[in-house]
Amino acid sequence: MGTSGIVQPLNRISGLPTRNFRDPFFEYAEQISGEAMHSQFNVKDDTCNACPIRCKRVVESEEHQVDGRFGGAEYEHLSAIGSNLGISDLAALMKATERCNAYGVDVISLGVTIACAMEAYEKGIITKEDTDGIELTWGNAETLLTLIEKICRREGIGDLLAEGSMRFAEKIGGGAEEFALHIKGLELPMHEPRLKQGMGVGYAISPTGADHCHNLHDTGTAKNVDFFKPLGAFKPVPADDIGPEKIRMLVYFTNWRHYMNSAVVCQFLPWTIDHLVELTNGVTGWDTNVWELMKVGERAATLTRLFNLREGFTAEDDRLPKRFFKPFKEGYIKGKAPSEEDFRQAIRYYYQMMGWDEQGVPTDGKLAELGILWARDDSAREVTSVEQS
Ligand code: SF4
């Protein structure tokens, strides 16, 4: 069933983002689940070249005019443009997925930006006069299909929405920044940071903004730490713990994922760390090891940090939207959210473990150890020292 199979399990533990991450569960989750998709549509498997996993889904439907050439819905589609917009019309979601894939638009950014607009419409910050007469109401599948066309063609309200939630909120004002759910301008993926709290810290420190791909899914590491054993971490840590043990796992995991990205390895292949070392040696003829490859990942993470500092990002941008510090009042994670103080401490632990200073600037010692002292950006340091004084 691929990733579409996690819609219902996540909904049960308040991990399925619903109406712009505002509600703890989606009452129509079953209708947009992978099970429903497979029972109601002709779903085939497909694959990247020569991969035996075959995780790609292809959905075709003459009745609903869904063209299989553009693939099919994964979990992120069903959530970002489904539950997160309150939409339960599965046929419309299949068509919307086809259109997003055909245009090559990121479904997460599109869905979270439309969710921000729907919340702004609900609060009266924007009205029909601003939306070309379109009703931006939760659950409105026709609105979704219309907005995909307008965004991709940059027509009317679509021209502003195409800029993403950060710029949309800045433009309309009225407090919309509070519910524009992005980090460093990238919209949050469909993984709830009140449930996966280590992932919330990972979103904040990621060089590319809210990114779940080089990040820790700590509902998994709360149960099984086999992956971390070659690195010396043997004890599971609860998903809502963001203390030093969890941040140590985050550092190891994100650095390893940066290595995987550098080696262009798919994250869905269930290889262990030892497998990947063996694979790297087999492909390159090197005699490398876990320690060296972890350093490759750490070097990539540090270089991207220097790049961001040079471009004007600061420690202030290592943040999580305020919504995620307020717990849900019901559901599986009722009453659970990180405190702002614990969150800042977790960021500090991350900086310290990475060899970065209090402002998140890599120290000269760390750059020298990684062999990238040449990449030091003195202008970023001057800005930091002025802010500190
Ligand atoms: S597991 Fe990775 S490489 Fe294989 S089909 Fe899926 S995305 Fe492609």
PDB file of all heavy atoms in Angstrom, residues 256-257 259-269 271 276 279-280:
ATOM      1  N   TRP A 256      23.699  11.418   9.198  1.00  0.00           N
ATOM      2  CA  TRP A 256      23.709  10.233   8.332  1.00  0.00           C
ATOM      3  C   TRP A 256      22.851  10.455   7.091  1.00  0.00           C
ATOM      4  O   TRP A 256      23.222  10.089   5.984  1.00  0.00           O
ATOM      5  CB  TRP A 256      23.246   8.995   9.105  1.00  0.00           C
ATOM      6  CG  TRP A 256      23.423   7.745   8.292  1.00  0.00           C
ATOM      7  CD1 TRP A 256      22.462   6.982   7.710  1.00  0.00           C
ATOM      8  CD2 TRP A 256      24.682   7.137   7.939  1.00  0.00           C
ATOM      9  NE1 TRP A 256      23.021   5.935   7.025  1.00  0.00           N
ATOM     10  CE2 TRP A 256      24.389   6.006   7.149  1.00  0.00           C
ATOM     11  CE3 TRP A 256      26.016   7.441   8.208  1.00  0.00           C
ATOM     12  CZ2 TRP A 256      25.382   5.180   6.626  1.00  0.00           C
ATOM     13  CZ3 TRP A 256      27.007   6.608   7.691  1.00  0.00           C
ATOM     14  CH2 TRP A 256      26.686   5.488   6.907  1.00  0.00           C
ATOM     15  N   ARG A 257      21.693  11.095   7.282  1.00  0.00           N
ATOM     16  CA  ARG A 257      20.829  11.387   6.128  1.00  0.00           C
ATOM     17  C   ARG A 257      21.507  12.380   5.163  1.00  0.00           C
ATOM     18  O   ARG A 257      21.341  12.290   3.956  1.00  0.00           O
ATOM     19  CB  ARG A 257      19.485  11.962   6.598  1.00  0.00           C
ATOM     20  CG  ARG A 257      18.455  10.886   6.964  1.00  0.00           C
ATOM     21  CD  ARG A 257      17.910  10.250   5.700  1.00  0.00           C
ATOM     22  NE  ARG A 257      17.245   8.981   5.945  1.00  0.00           N
ATOM     23  CZ  ARG A 257      15.951   8.847   6.166  1.00  0.00           C
ATOM     24  NH1 ARG A 257      15.169   9.913   6.202  1.00  0.00           N
ATOM     25  NH2 ARG A 257      15.423   7.646   6.325  1.00  0.00           N
ATOM     26  N   TYR A 259      24.625  12.379   4.632  1.00  0.00           N
ATOM     27  CA  TYR A 259      25.519  11.521   3.841  1.00  0.00           C
ATOM     28  C   TYR A 259      24.721  10.803   2.750  1.00  0.00           C
ATOM     29  O   TYR A 259      25.134  10.764   1.584  1.00  0.00           O
ATOM     30  CB  TYR A 259      26.262  10.482   4.706  1.00  0.00           C
ATOM     31  CG  TYR A 259      26.893   9.448   3.798  1.00  0.00           C
ATOM     32  CD1 TYR A 259      27.884   9.843   2.898  1.00  0.00           C
ATOM     33  CD2 TYR A 259      26.427   8.145   3.727  1.00  0.00           C
ATOM     34  CE1 TYR A 259      28.409   8.951   1.965  1.00  0.00           C
ATOM     35  CE2 TYR A 259      26.938   7.249   2.802  1.00  0.00           C
ATOM     36  CZ  TYR A 259      27.931   7.663   1.928  1.00  0.00           C
ATOM     37  OH  TYR A 259      28.428   6.786   0.987  1.00  0.00           O
ATOM     38  N   MET A 260      23.554  10.248   3.116  1.00  0.00           N
ATOM     39  CA  MET A 260      22.737   9.532   2.120  1.00  0.00           C
ATOM     40  C   MET A 260      22.352  10.455   0.970  1.00  0.00           C
ATOM     41  O   MET A 260      22.371  10.064  -0.197  1.00  0.00           O
ATOM     42  CB  MET A 260      21.476   8.961   2.779  1.00  0.00           C
ATOM     43  CG  MET A 260      21.759   7.764   3.668  1.00  0.00           C
ATOM     44  SD  MET A 260      20.292   7.203   4.560  1.00  0.00           S
ATOM     45  CE  MET A 260      19.263   6.586   3.240  1.00  0.00           C
ATOM     46  N   ASN A 261      22.015  11.697   1.300  1.00  0.00           N
ATOM     47  CA  ASN A 261      21.669  12.649   0.232  1.00  0.00           C
ATOM     48  C   ASN A 261      22.882  12.926  -0.657  1.00  0.00           C
ATOM     49  O   ASN A 261      22.762  13.032  -1.876  1.00  0.00           O
ATOM     50  CB  ASN A 261      21.151  13.963   0.825  1.00  0.00           C
ATOM     51  CG  ASN A 261      19.745  13.808   1.392  1.00  0.00           C
ATOM     52  OD1 ASN A 261      19.026  12.869   1.055  1.00  0.00           O
ATOM     53  ND2 ASN A 261      19.344  14.721   2.264  1.00  0.00           N
ATOM     54  N   SER A 262      24.057  13.028  -0.012  1.00  0.00           N
ATOM     55  CA  SER A 262      25.274  13.280  -0.794  1.00  0.00           C
ATOM     56  C   SER A 262      25.564  12.098  -1.729  1.00  0.00           C
ATOM     57  O   SER A 262      26.065  12.280  -2.834  1.00  0.00           O
ATOM     58  CB  SER A 262      26.486  13.482   0.132  1.00  0.00           C
ATOM     59  OG  SER A 262      26.238  14.526   1.033  1.00  0.00           O
ATOM     60  N   ALA A 263      25.237  10.890  -1.241  1.00  0.00           N
ATOM     61  CA  ALA A 263      25.502   9.692  -2.046  1.00  0.00           C
ATOM     62  C   ALA A 263      24.335   9.377  -2.990  1.00  0.00           C
ATOM     63  O   ALA A 263      24.394   8.397  -3.742  1.00  0.00           O
ATOM     64  CB  ALA A 263      25.759   8.505  -1.119  1.00  0.00           C
ATOM     65  N   VAL A 264      23.284  10.202  -2.941  1.00  0.00           N
ATOM     66  CA  VAL A 264      22.072  10.028  -3.764  1.00  0.00           C
ATOM     67  C   VAL A 264      21.468   8.637  -3.549  1.00  0.00           C
ATOM     68  O   VAL A 264      21.279   7.864  -4.489  1.00  0.00           O
ATOM     69  CB  VAL A 264      22.329  10.317  -5.260  1.00  0.00           C
ATOM     70  CG1 VAL A 264      21.016  10.581  -5.979  1.00  0.00           C
ATOM     71  CG2 VAL A 264      23.272  11.484  -5.455  1.00  0.00           C
ATOM     72  N   VAL A 265      21.195   8.345  -2.280  1.00  0.00           N
ATOM     73  CA  VAL A 265      20.596   7.061  -1.906  1.00  0.00           C
ATOM     74  C   VAL A 265      19.155   7.303  -1.457  1.00  0.00           C
ATOM     75  O   VAL A 265      18.901   8.195  -0.649  1.00  0.00           O
ATOM     76  CB  VAL A 265      21.391   6.413  -0.751  1.00  0.00           C
ATOM     77  CG1 VAL A 265      20.695   5.151  -0.262  1.00  0.00           C
ATOM     78  CG2 VAL A 265      22.803   6.099  -1.198  1.00  0.00           C
ATOM     79  N   CYS A 266      18.226   6.502  -1.968  1.00  0.00           N
ATOM     80  CA  CYS A 266      16.817   6.661  -1.592  1.00  0.00           C
ATOM     81  C   CYS A 266      16.608   6.312  -0.113  1.00  0.00           C
ATOM     82  O   CYS A 266      17.095   5.286   0.373  1.00  0.00           O
ATOM     83  CB  CYS A 266      15.948   5.755  -2.456  1.00  0.00           C
ATOM     84  SG  CYS A 266      14.235   5.750  -1.931  1.00  0.00           S
ATOM     85  N   GLN A 267      15.846   7.143   0.585  1.00  0.00           N
ATOM     86  CA  GLN A 267      15.622   6.927   2.020  1.00  0.00           C
ATOM     87  C   GLN A 267      14.649   5.787   2.306  1.00  0.00           C
ATOM     88  O   GLN A 267      14.518   5.349   3.452  1.00  0.00           O
ATOM     89  CB  GLN A 267      15.111   8.208   2.671  1.00  0.00           C
ATOM     90  CG  GLN A 267      13.825   8.695   2.063  1.00  0.00           C
ATOM     91  CD  GLN A 267      13.169   9.774   2.890  1.00  0.00           C
ATOM     92  OE1 GLN A 267      13.106   9.696   4.092  1.00  0.00           O
ATOM     93  NE2 GLN A 267      12.687  10.792   2.230  1.00  0.00           N
ATOM     94  N   PHE A 268      13.934   5.307   1.288  1.00  0.00           N
ATOM     95  CA  PHE A 268      12.972   4.226   1.535  1.00  0.00           C
ATOM     96  C   PHE A 268      13.619   2.841   1.491  1.00  0.00           C
ATOM     97  O   PHE A 268      12.980   1.840   1.787  1.00  0.00           O
ATOM     98  CB  PHE A 268      11.830   4.272   0.518  1.00  0.00           C
ATOM     99  CG  PHE A 268      10.879   5.416   0.755  1.00  0.00           C
ATOM    100  CD1 PHE A 268      10.512   6.259  -0.282  1.00  0.00           C
ATOM    101  CD2 PHE A 268      10.351   5.651   2.010  1.00  0.00           C
ATOM    102  CE1 PHE A 268       9.647   7.319  -0.059  1.00  0.00           C
ATOM    103  CE2 PHE A 268       9.482   6.696   2.240  1.00  0.00           C
ATOM    104  CZ  PHE A 268       9.128   7.533   1.202  1.00  0.00           C
ATOM    105  N   LEU A 269      14.877   2.778   1.058  1.00  0.00           N
ATOM    106  CA  LEU A 269      15.538   1.475   1.016  1.00  0.00           C
ATOM    107  C   LEU A 269      15.981   1.120   2.438  1.00  0.00           C
ATOM    108  O   LEU A 269      16.661   1.921   3.081  1.00  0.00           O
ATOM    109  CB  LEU A 269      16.737   1.524   0.060  1.00  0.00           C
ATOM    110  CG  LEU A 269      16.314   1.770  -1.398  1.00  0.00           C
ATOM    111  CD1 LEU A 269      17.503   2.153  -2.249  1.00  0.00           C
ATOM    112  CD2 LEU A 269      15.629   0.549  -1.979  1.00  0.00           C
ATOM    113  N   TRP A 271      18.195  -0.093   4.233  1.00  0.00           N
ATOM    114  CA  TRP A 271      19.568  -0.490   4.529  1.00  0.00           C
ATOM    115  C   TRP A 271      20.007   0.028   5.887  1.00  0.00           C
ATOM    116  O   TRP A 271      19.681   1.149   6.283  1.00  0.00           O
ATOM    117  CB  TRP A 271      20.513   0.069   3.456  1.00  0.00           C
ATOM    118  CG  TRP A 271      20.424  -0.671   2.162  1.00  0.00           C
ATOM    119  CD1 TRP A 271      20.211  -2.007   1.992  1.00  0.00           C
ATOM    120  CD2 TRP A 271      20.534  -0.111   0.849  1.00  0.00           C
ATOM    121  NE1 TRP A 271      20.192  -2.316   0.658  1.00  0.00           N
ATOM    122  CE2 TRP A 271      20.391  -1.182  -0.066  1.00  0.00           C
ATOM    123  CE3 TRP A 271      20.754   1.157   0.355  1.00  0.00           C
ATOM    124  CZ2 TRP A 271      20.464  -1.004  -1.438  1.00  0.00           C
ATOM    125  CZ3 TRP A 271      20.827   1.339  -1.012  1.00  0.00           C
ATOM    126  CH2 TRP A 271      20.678   0.275  -1.897  1.00  0.00           C
ATOM    127  N   LEU A 276      25.228   0.347   4.148  1.00  0.00           N
ATOM    128  CA  LEU A 276      25.605   1.494   3.305  1.00  0.00           C
ATOM    129  C   LEU A 276      27.118   1.688   3.241  1.00  0.00           C
ATOM    130  O   LEU A 276      27.652   2.101   2.210  1.00  0.00           O
ATOM    131  CB  LEU A 276      24.934   2.774   3.810  1.00  0.00           C
ATOM    132  CG  LEU A 276      23.646   3.136   3.073  1.00  0.00           C
ATOM    133  CD1 LEU A 276      23.048   4.403   3.628  1.00  0.00           C
ATOM    134  CD2 LEU A 276      23.903   3.314   1.579  1.00  0.00           C
ATOM    135  N   LEU A 279      28.182  -0.888   0.794  1.00  0.00           N
ATOM    136  CA  LEU A 279      27.772  -0.471  -0.548  1.00  0.00           C
ATOM    137  C   LEU A 279      28.710   0.623  -1.084  1.00  0.00           C
ATOM    138  O   LEU A 279      29.124   0.591  -2.246  1.00  0.00           O
ATOM    139  CB  LEU A 279      26.340   0.067  -0.463  1.00  0.00           C
ATOM    140  CG  LEU A 279      25.570   0.232  -1.749  1.00  0.00           C
ATOM    141  CD1 LEU A 279      25.318  -1.123  -2.389  1.00  0.00           C
ATOM    142  CD2 LEU A 279      24.231   0.892  -1.445  1.00  0.00           C
ATOM    143  N   THR A 280      29.031   1.587  -0.208  1.00  0.00           N
ATOM    144  CA  THR A 280      29.916   2.674  -0.626  1.00  0.00           C
ATOM    145  C   THR A 280      31.282   2.109  -1.023  1.00  0.00           C
ATOM    146  O   THR A 280      31.854   2.492  -2.056  1.00  0.00           O
ATOM    147  CB  THR A 280      30.085   3.701   0.521  1.00  0.00           C
ATOM    148  OG1 THR A 280      28.789   4.145   0.919  1.00  0.00           O
ATOM    149  CG2 THR A 280      30.922   4.890   0.086  1.00  0.00           C
TER     150      THR A 280
END
